[in-house]
Amino acid sequence: PKYIHSLYRQGVTEIIVKFSDLNLLNIVQKTISENIIGYEIIEQEKNKAIIRNIAEINEGNFDQTFRRLFRINESMFNSIDDIKSLIHLESTNNKLSNYCRRYISNKLYEGQLALLTYLVVETQERLADEILFLVKLSKDLTNIEKEYITKANKFYKLCHEIYYSQDPHKLSSSAIKYKNTIAELLNSQCSETVKHYLSNIFY
């Protein structure tokens, strides 16, 4: 899966997979179906398969997809009581994050903007992982833990607003009030698991 992800993100349009064990191809098929937009196995022989990109990436698609990452993560914060929804949303996040990284690698963005945008996409993908891990590894969230998750959600929405604001400095006072949140969280009655993942989210 890591090789497939890496090649996809680099913008590779065709991959030839050679295998002696059919289980390898099953893993490849699962990776594509669950994590990648545009790749399809277009030809298969006894010990070889050809994967090709069949979806064109354009600027309009990128902008819409990039914005969807924010909305998906907000939906994850709002779905902490529904693990099935969380798993589905995290999978969708993976697909869209990979799609965005492929777009950037194809140099439709250049220079510093490409780097900064890529880092934002990476952060969005990591954030979805943290939310999912937080809920999966915490058996029953207490009220105080849910309160901190709500704070994290509000902080994330504020970051979303700042990112697209024409004058982000107007929102700086709203962001400053969260500066002591991590320290408060670490001194709270939340479980160590919740503290760990929520701290990662705030960072």
Side-chain angles (χ1 to χ4, degrees), residues 23-87:
N23 286 329
L24 176 62
L25 186 61
N26 293 334
I27 293 171
V28 170
Q29 289 174 324
K30 186 173 187 292
T31 300
I32 291 172
S33 65
E34 293 183 357
N35 296 285
I36 290 175
I37 298 173
Y39 268 7
E40 296 290 345
I41 295 177
I42 58 139
E43 186 177 324
Q44 182 177 336
E45 300 175 8
K46 183 178 179 181
N47 300 111
K48 185 178 78 171
I50 298 176
I51 302 168
R52 187 172 295 160
N53 181 60
I54 60 171
E56 198 68 33
I57 299 178
N58 59 56
E59 187 171 353
N61 284 346
F62 173 80
D63 291 336
Q64 290 179 353
T65 303
F66 184 68
R67 287 176 180 271
R68 279 188 66 194
L69 286 173
F70 285 96
R71 295 196 295 272
I72 286 171
N73 284 347
E74 288 174 8
S75 294
M76 290 189 70
F77 275 116
N78 294 325
S79 303
I80 59 171
D81 294 319
D82 186 350
I83 189 65
K84 289 183 178 179
S85 291
L86 280 178
I87 292 171

Side-chain angles (χ1 to χ4, degrees), residues 17-18 31 42-44 47 50 72 76-77 82-83 91 94 99 110 117 122 134 153 162 172 177 182 185:
V17 181
K18 296 182 178 180
T31 300
I42 58 139
E43 186 177 324
Q44 182 177 336
N47 300 111
I50 298 176
I72 286 171
M76 290 189 70
F77 275 116
D82 186 350
I83 189 65
S91 177
N94 287 339
Y99 185 86
E110 296 182 355
T117 307
E122 290 278 298
L134 168 63
N153 188 12
I162 289 172
S172 60
K177 70 180 182 180
I182 293 178
L185 169 66

